[in-house]
Amino acid sequence: MGSFKGHVLPGTLFLLVGVWHIWSAVVRFVSGPKSFRVRVWSPVPGFDGRLTYLELYLVVIGAFVDMCIELLYSPHLKFFVDGVLNPSHMNDFEHSGMLLMFFIFGTIALLSEKTSFLPLSQGALCLIAATAFCAEYLLFFYHSTTHKGLEGYYHLLLVLLIGLCIITTVAAALIPTSFAIDLCSGIAIALQGLWFYQTAFTLYGPMMPQGCRLKENMIMCHPVETQIRGESLANFQLFSLILGVLIAVVGCYGFAVSRFGHSDLRNLQHG
């Protein structure tokens, strides 16, 4: 993932899933607030049911493709060197493990929904999804690639967003009627996707802070003040993304109410 494309691909997957999660949660709530239930994934309506499981297929196929890139393409099939795992590509193997967890989650969810072999509740699927996020959290927290300086700071903020995904997903399993938790889960996933994009454009693209440059796969900032300025810029970027997502969510909610609003919403407001 230490490249522009390596951050954009998973960022796209998280962003698409997060945005769809937000919209689905909002529509389900405004359509029937009293019968609302948390869902770890949401079916796509219409199209004669042909796209019902689109979200799960996106997770499974996206994770599988990215996993193949990390596991097969990046190390050029050189898995072992002198009888041990290729030390030059340990980070690729770690990324593959993380992606495998999301692939397993998507596969289990598909089996649960489409067959009778593995019937699981939404709460159980939430906990499996939380396990995948935990694997991602541990990967970036205990990474074999030592992230220092500005790069380390961007990954620290990413770890915080992943932690938020874990908390909201576990909470969704414990409180299955909470619209706020389901909505926060979608927001956390979308923010994680956006932060992958922001990291790609800042560390590996045209938004590199002045005084910092990419050298031998490491971000070097000289003098030290440029790194401090870069970290402050990262804080501002994250704040801007959070503000933008919140504004988008409010607009999304208002639009959904105008199109699908149930009469119970007014009762809840005055209750």
Side-chain angles (χ1 to χ4, degrees), residues 264-271:
D264 287 341
L265 283 175
R266 188 174 298 275
N267 297 333
L268 288 175
Q269 181 180 4
H270 295 288

Side-chain angles (χ1 to χ4, degrees), residues 97-132:
M98 175 198 75
L99 293 163
L100 177 62
M101 292 299 296
F102 285 104
F103 175 79
I104 292 174
F105 158 70
T107 302
I108 291 176
L110 279 172
L111 289 174
S112 175
E113 297 292 338
K114 300 193 69 173
T115 71
S116 59
F117 298 110
L118 196 64
L120 294 172
S121 66
Q122 286 294 315
L125 291 176
C126 281
L127 293 179
I128 295 173
T131 303

Side-chain angles (χ1 to χ4, degrees), residues 19-191:
V19 169
W20 174 242
H21 195 117
I22 292 170
W23 171 251
S24 300
V26 168
V27 170
R28 293 201 316 276
F29 178 75
V30 301
S31 300
K34 292 185 177 180
S35 61
F36 178 84
R37 291 293 183 274
V38 168
R39 289 192 63 92
V40 71
W41 73 278
S42 300
V44 178
F47 303 99
D48 298 324
R50 288 174 295 187
L51 298 181
T52 299
Y53 304 101
L54 179 61
E55 179 182 350
L56 293 179
Y57 282 120
L58 178 65
V59 172
V60 170
I61 296 174
F64 181 76
V65 171
D66 202 2
M67 183 172 59
C68 288
I69 293 174
E70 296 286 349
L71 186 61
L72 303 177
Y73 175 77
S74 295
H76 304 292
L77 301 180
K78 295 180 180 179
F79 303 122
F80 296 94
V81 175
D82 297 327
V84 298
L85 279 175
N86 191 337
S88 300
H89 293 280
M90 287 299 296
N91 60 327
D92 297 317
F93 300 141
E94 291 171 345
H95 296 158
S96 300
M98 175 198 75
L99 293 163
L100 177 62
M101 292 299 296
F102 285 104
F103 175 79
I104 292 174
F105 158 70
T107 302
I108 291 176
L110 279 172
L111 289 174
S112 175
E113 297 292 338
K114 300 193 69 173
T115 71
S116 59
F117 298 110
L118 196 64
L120 294 172
S121 66
Q122 286 294 315
L125 291 176
C126 281
L127 293 179
I128 295 173
T131 303
F133 283 122
C134 283
E136 184 188 13
Y137 180 93
L138 292 173
L139 163 70
F140 286 108
F141 193 82
Y142 298 104
H143 208 305
S144 63
T145 302
T146 304
H147 293 300
K148 297 181 179 180
L150 185 61
E151 184 182 14
Y153 193 75
Y154 272 81
H155 281 83
L156 172 62
L157 295 179
L158 174 62
V159 166
L160 295 178
L161 293 176
I162 298 171
L164 183 60
C165 289
I166 297 172
I167 293 171
T168 54
T169 307
V170 172
L174 299 176
I175 313 176
T177 59
S178 174
F179 167 64
I181 290 176
D182 202 15
L183 182 62
C184 286
S185 179
I187 291 174
I189 296 171
L191 281 173

Side-chain angles (χ1 to χ4, degrees), residues 221-247:
C221 296
H222 297 288
V224 179
E225 288 75 14
T226 59
Q227 178 179 322
I228 297 175
R229 188 164 56 247
E231 293 176 357
S232 299
L233 177 62
N235 294 335
F236 176 77
Q237 290 168 342
L238 181 58
F239 170 78
S240 300
L241 291 177
I242 294 174
L243 179 61
V245 169
L246 291 180
I247 292 174

